[in-house]
């Protein structure tokens, strides 16, 4: 399955694209809420790219839902998402019936 070009989070539609300039900053992904874009560094292994995309989607959810105000420190948001993204990805992968039920 290929990388989605658009993702809807709340009322916002985010463009998803590869952006080689992220390598200059040492980032694997970035979410621009105001620009409605999620950028991913190209060349990531497939599983790593999926984890990075989910990580960035979680940042978009935090921003769109208003939860960002709960994080007085940007590092705390990053730390939480860094732990949640791979765990959530694993739960979704290992439980196809759960995904089917939740999306049904």
């Amino acid at each position: 399955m290929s990388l989605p070009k658009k993702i809807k989070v709340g009322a916002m539609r985010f463009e998803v694209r590869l952006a080689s300039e992220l390598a200059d900053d040492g980032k694997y992904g970035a979410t621009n809420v105001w620009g409605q874009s999620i950028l991913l560094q190209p060349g990531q292994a497939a599983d790593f790219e999926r984890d990075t995309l989910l990580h960035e989607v979680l940042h978009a959810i935090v921003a769109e839902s208003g939860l960002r105000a709960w994080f007085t420190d940007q590092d705390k948001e990053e730390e939480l998402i860094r732990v949640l993204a791979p765990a959530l990805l694993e739960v979704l992968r290992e439980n196809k019936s759960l995904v089917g039920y939740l999306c049904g």
Side-chain angles (χ1 to χ4, degrees), residues 72-92:
T72 56
D73 181 354
Q74 173 67 29
D75 289 340
K76 292 294 183 187
E77 177 185 334
E78 187 63 34
E79 185 179 322
L80 176 64
I81 290 174
R82 189 175 297 128
V83 171
L84 282 179
L88 179 57
L89 184 58
E90 184 65 16
V91 167
L92 296 174

Side-chain angles (χ1 to χ4, degrees), residues 16-27:
V16 179
R17 64 182 173 84
L18 299 176
S20 57
E21 64 268 16
L22 289 175
D24 298 338
D25 294 333
K27 294 182 179 180

Side-chain angles (χ1 to χ4, degrees), residues 21-101:
E21 64 268 16
L22 289 175
D24 298 338
D25 294 333
K27 294 182 179 180
Y28 298 111
T31 299
N32 181 332
V33 176
W34 302 113
Q36 293 179 257
S37 63
I38 293 175
L39 308 176
L40 302 175
Q41 184 185 112
Q44 297 181 55
D47 287 339
F48 200 81
E49 183 178 85
R50 286 178 175 90
D51 179 73
T52 302
L53 178 56
L54 182 57
H55 179 107
E56 297 307 325
V57 167
L58 289 171
H59 278 299
I61 290 169
V62 166
E64 182 61 17
S65 67
L67 287 173
R68 188 155 279 163
W70 288 14
F71 294 100
T72 56
D73 181 354
Q74 173 67 29
D75 289 340
K76 292 294 183 187
E77 177 185 334
E78 187 63 34
E79 185 179 322
L80 176 64
I81 290 174
R82 189 175 297 128
V83 171
L84 282 179
L88 179 57
L89 184 58
E90 184 65 16
V91 167
L92 296 174
R93 282 183 168 157
E94 295 297 323
N95 297 281
K96 303 292 186 198
S97 61
L98 172 65
V99 175
Y101 175 76

